[in-house]
Amino acid sequence: MSATPPAGTASLKLARSNRQSPARKRADRLGDVSLRLICLGAALLAALVLVLIAKEVFEGAQPAISKYGFSFLTNTEWAPPLEKFGGEGLVLGTLITSAMAIFIGAPVAISIGIFLALLAPAGVRNVISPLVEMLAAIPSVILGFWGLIVFGPFVAGTIEPFLHKTLGFIPLFGSPQTTGASVFTAGLILTIMVIPIIASVTRDLFMAVPRELQDGAAALGSTRWEVIRGVVLPTTVSGMIAATLLGLGRALGEAIAVSQVIGGATESHLSLFKTGGTLASIIALQFPSAISALHYASLYYCAAILLVIGVASNLLASWVGMRFGAAGGAMR
Amino acid sequence: MIVRHKIAEPFDPTRPLTPTGNLRRRHLVSRFAQGVAIAAAIAAVAVLVIVIWAVVSHGIKAISWDFITKGEPEGIGPNLVGTAIIVGIGTLIAAPIGVLIALFLSEYAGRRATRPVQLLMDVMNGLPSIIIAVFVYILIVEPTKQQSGLAAGIALSIIAVPLIARGTQEVLRLVPAAQREAADALGVARWRSVLTIILPAALGGIVTATLLSVARAAGETAPMILLSSLAKADTYQFNPLKELPNVPVKIFQLSEEANPEGFTKAWGLSLVLIAIILALGLGSRALLNRSKRKLTR
């Protein structure tokens, strides 16, 4: 190497020094390793928190778990002053309200998803989509307050008597009570909360269905509904199930809005129009005024049950999405 | 013998082109299904309008300058400040962690590490907030026998991390591969390109995700009930090591008391809260559109 590099190429020099300086190299290696470790650390921290949540909640529930075991789920009496804690009424209330939310909410939400993704012109979609998302942004405490003051009395005064009159022979539709609070109202409020969640997930799902498949069906003479029924829905079944499970998880765990409109009772019954309680709402209602260690432990037990159901429905949702989503995406 | 053939209907070019028979039925079914979908969308929007209308029409009666700035019993100033402090603490903790997790997922994790971390974020996102509240109560409030804004902020941060991580991940995906490759080709170390090229390009999206999580956190009530509900709101309070008055818990408490005057106040609080949340939502949406345009240009 006899020739020196041509002068005046400062940038080249810089690039060369950038590459060759051993100090710089060492610094870069250090920086690379440490940034990677910091990022990994953040992910591990999140995992640690999740593990800690499970550990602490179950440890807190330990006194109640060792006292009642699984019979907590079938004991019907919840009476804090008597030190009796049975969660059957709460489990039933949780299942009934969530089932209502899903059976009413999922079809409505999927219809909205169909409308937004496949039927609405772009202009309409760009207006309605944000509005639906806005519905999801309303805090649950405000929705619950509205449910308590406006919606509950309306439901108790109009819808419940009507249902009782026409369907009263089914025990589910027993005689309505005069207060606005009822399991039925709670189910409807949960429906309102679940709809925007499922709707926005299914909308994205339907928009991802390949255009050519739909056009092909249309070219074979399908009507718009037949395209949806024959092409769009079958290819997205798994996604719709996953979206519904997501909504279910939300409905199961909602504490605030439910506790405002359900009336805070703990008896075990099947009547939709009586007051009731859910696992999540009882925590919000009784935690601030819990009277004994066993009372706390029983509330933690409720939280532990919720935790298990919530994590299970989430895992199931992502499993369904992954397992069948891949098959659906490949399409034959 | 006469063979009678059925005479075909002569072709009538002036006949209207409306479907008959089976096709007509299919069209009707299709029309009906579309009608149902449209009705569902209208119903959702109607519910939104009804709720917002109820909040605005009732809440506007409570709103005044004193209502927003003074303490109890006239106003809600301390509640607003308390919510701001708690949400601020939550965001300060959650934003860096969320962004780092998103960086891990998009820059460092291989295929095998991506799945479990993604799943972890999904599970955290699906955790009921009441469980997070119970967890923080057991961890912090029970041992110290002291509710605090800090505890509430920590609970909010657990809620916000998956939201921020997901939002950030979505923008990181939009950063053009060409920019990364250009940096690699120039021999720039990975960490330098992450800090000086990728993160700045994604900054708009990160801010958006953070604002959205702030909007979500501001309305979270369950953690407040367990972690910061005993505060008096007659004077302004700023100490996060003590319980802080805040907006959601006040609405909840007022709704539990059967007191018409309290209800008016609760409507007023609801109006202020919804206004803040919607403003944050709209602002972040505008910001997101802008930064997405910038990235994909």
Side-chain angles (χ1 to χ4, degrees):
Chain A
M1 284 231 233
S2 54
T4 50
T9 52
S11 60
L12 185 66
K13 231 173 172 176
L14 184 74
R16 195 163 285 175
S17 76
N18 188 13
R19 207 169 46 230
Q20 289 175 346
S21 145
R24 181 73 177 242
K25 233 180 192 167
R26 226 175 303 129
D28 276 351
R29 181 152 309 157
L30 190 70
D32 263 342
V33 170
S34 47
L35 187 60
R36 166 178 282 230
L37 283 183
I38 293 170
C39 289
L40 180 66
L44 289 179
L45 181 69
L48 178 72
V49 166
L50 194 64
V51 171
L52 263 184
I53 289 176
K55 174 178 166 287
E56 295 289 340
V57 169
F58 272 94
E59 264 182 23
Q62 199 50 52
I65 293 176
S66 59
K67 177 151 189 211
Y68 299 116
F70 285 112
S71 71
F72 184 78
L73 300 175
T74 51
N75 290 350
T76 53
E77 196 176 2
W78 179 284
L82 302 175
E83 288 280 283
K84 280 189 176 165
F85 299 98
E88 193 193 88
L90 302 172
V91 173
L92 265 183
T94 306
L95 293 180
I96 291 174
T97 50
S98 300
M100 256 185 84
I102 291 308
F103 283 121
I104 305 174
V108 173
I110 290 173
S111 304
I112 295 173
I114 289 173
F115 173 75
L116 290 177
L118 306 169
L119 302 178
V124 177
R125 175 168 66 224
N126 290 341
V127 175
I128 307 270
S129 270
L131 287 179
V132 171
E133 272 158 32
M134 217 186 250
L135 189 57
I138 295 180
S140 55
V141 71
I142 294 179
L143 208 55
F145 182 57
W146 173 77
L148 177 75
I149 307 278
V150 182
F151 190 55
F154 166 74
V155 170
T158 320
I159 302 179
E160 291 184 1
F162 170 74
L163 284 176
H164 178 58
K165 223 162 55 189
T166 47
L167 297 167
F169 55 91
I170 307 170
L172 221 50
F173 302 100
S175 61
Q177 296 182 332
T178 46
T179 60
S182 68
V183 175
F184 189 70
T185 313
L188 291 180
I189 291 285
L190 283 182
T191 308
I192 295 175
M193 302 185 72
V194 158
I195 283 176
I197 298 173
I198 304 181
S200 62
V201 176
T202 50
R203 176 199 60 201
D204 296 347
L205 211 63
F206 296 146
M207 293 205 3
V209 174
R211 190 74 230 185
E212 307 87 73
L213 293 176
Q214 300 176 46
D215 290 348
L220 290 174
S222 300
T223 62
R224 229 160 178 195
W225 165 246
E226 284 162 353
V227 172
I228 294 168
R229 176 74 192 77
V231 175
V232 177
L233 294 184
T235 52
T236 51
V237 174
S238 62
M240 289 192 289
I241 294 175
T244 307
L245 284 170
L246 219 63
L248 177 67
R250 179 75 193 274
L252 289 166
E254 176 51 42
I256 302 305
V258 172
S259 70
Q260 283 166 294
V261 298
I262 204 168
T266 50
E267 305 98 65
S268 174
H269 63 76
L270 279 174
S271 174
L272 283 179
F273 302 150
K274 283 199 204 161
T275 57
T278 68
L279 292 167
S281 70
I282 200 77
I283 303 173
L285 281 176
Q286 298 199 346
F287 203 94
S289 55
I291 52 175
S292 66
L294 190 59
H295 196 178
Y296 274 113
S298 300
L299 292 174
Y300 294 149
Y301 199 166
C302 292
I305 299 171
L306 269 182
L307 179 66
V308 170
I309 306 178
V311 170
S313 71
N314 260 288
L315 289 179
L316 195 63
S318 74
W319 181 75
V320 168
M322 219 153 17
R323 171 84 174 67
F324 300 101
M331 276 288 301
R332 283 185 277 273
Chain B
M1 212 203 276
I2 302 166
V3 181
R4 301 189 62 176
H5 290 284
K6 197 177 171 199
I7 300 167
E9 231 176 88
F11 177 67
D12 174 12
T14 61
R15 207 185 64 178
L17 284 169
T18 48
T20 53
N22 190 36
L23 183 58
R24 191 181 148 81
R25 189 186 58 76
R26 286 167 54 204
H27 273 300
L28 281 179
V29 169
S30 180
R31 213 41 85 59
F32 175 74
Q34 291 179 46
V36 169
I38 293 170
I42 291 175
V45 174
V47 168
L48 175 75
V49 169
I50 291 171
V51 174
I52 299 272
W53 171 247
V55 171
V56 171
S57 67
H58 289 94
I60 204 85
K61 290 178 211 150
I63 301 284
S64 66
W65 184 244
D66 280 0
F67 182 74
I68 290 177
T69 54
K70 281 200 173 154
E72 305 252 271
E74 304 99 320
I76 57 163
N79 302 74
L80 287 173
V81 171
T83 285
I85 295 174
I86 294 171
V87 171
I89 293 172
T91 309
L92 278 183
I93 301 173
I97 297 179
V99 170
L100 283 173
I101 292 177
L103 271 183
F104 177 73
L105 281 170
S106 78
E107 307 295 322
Y108 290 111
R111 267 185 89 87
R112 298 181 79 178
T114 307
R115 258 195 194 176
V117 176
Q118 197 77 60
L119 196 60
L120 173 75
M121 286 295 109
D122 288 347
V123 168
M124 268 182 92
N125 192 29
L127 271 189
S129 55
I130 189 86
I131 289 180
I132 293 168
V134 163
F135 163 67
V136 176
Y137 181 91
I138 297 176
L139 202 69
I140 299 176
V141 176
E142 204 175 46
T144 58
K145 305 269 179 264
Q146 171 72 51
Q147 286 194 344
S148 67
L150 182 65
I154 290 173
L156 290 187
S157 74
I158 300 176
I159 294 169
V161 160
L163 300 175
I164 295 177
R166 174 183 300 172
T168 305
Q169 219 186 327
E170 268 164 25
V171 235
L172 286 178
R173 216 172 279 153
L174 289 180
V175 176
Q179 288 195 12
R180 281 165 228 244
E181 284 156 12
D184 286 349
L186 287 173
V188 178
R190 200 57 189 280
W191 70 284
R192 274 181 214 278
S193 66
V194 166
L195 291 185
T196 59
I197 295 166
I198 297 174
L199 273 187
L203 190 64
I206 294 173
V207 174
T208 304
T210 310
L211 283 183
L212 279 179
S213 80
V214 166
R216 162 88 189 272
E220 275 298 336
T221 316
M224 302 304 149
I225 291 177
L226 269 59
L227 306 171
S228 184
S229 64
L230 300 173
K232 291 238 170 9
D234 44 1
T235 55
Y236 282 90
Q237 286 164 51
F238 303 98
N239 183 0
L241 297 179
K242 291 248 161 66
E243 59 269 22
L244 291 170
N246 56 79
V247 176
V249 101
K250 193 71 202 169
I251 300 175
F252 184 77
Q253 287 166 347
L254 288 171
S255 81
E256 294 294 293
E257 301 163 7
N259 170 11
E261 232 168 89
F263 287 162
T264 311
K265 196 171 177 184
W267 284 118
L269 279 159
S270 303
L271 178 55
V272 173
L273 186 56
I274 277 200
I276 294 172
I277 287 173
L278 292 190
L280 282 169
L282 292 179
S284 61
R285 182 174 281 270
L287 198 64
L288 182 67
N289 286 340
R290 222 192 91 200
S291 63
K292 264 190 184 159
R293 259 206 311 280
K294 246 191 199 161
L295 271 179
T296 48
R297 192 168 51 197

